[in-house]
Amino acid sequence: MTRFADRVAVVTATAQRVGSSPEEHQRMVAEHTPLRRVAQPTEIASVIAFLASDDASYVS
């Protein structure tokens, strides 16, 4: 068993609407987020690294 066996990370994705361009899809997704923008890959990676670390032991 690995040291991360007791942790679960859930990452969700969205499906692009048929007929919309990638840019239009990204704009529509951004409109429905609190910061009104889509996260950068490095931002998502930082969150995943934090949740997998011992620093997140109290986060459920």
Side-chain angles (χ1 to χ4, degrees):
M1 193 174 270
T2 68
R3 78 178 198 153
F4 299 116
D6 62 337
R7 298 174 189 229
V8 176
V10 177
V11 179
T12 60
T14 61
Q16 183 174 333
R17 287 186 178 181
V18 175
S20 66
S21 68
E23 294 81 15
E24 178 67 13
H25 177 73
Q26 187 172 12
R27 185 189 64 74
M28 289 188 307
V29 169
E31 287 177 355
H32 292 92
T33 63
L35 295 177
R36 300 288 185 247
R37 66 179 182 84
V38 177
Q40 297 299 310
T42 54
E43 293 172 311
I44 296 168
S46 294
V47 170
I48 292 170
F50 169 73
L51 291 173
S53 74
D54 290 337
D55 291 337
S57 62
Y58 191 72
V59 177
S60 61

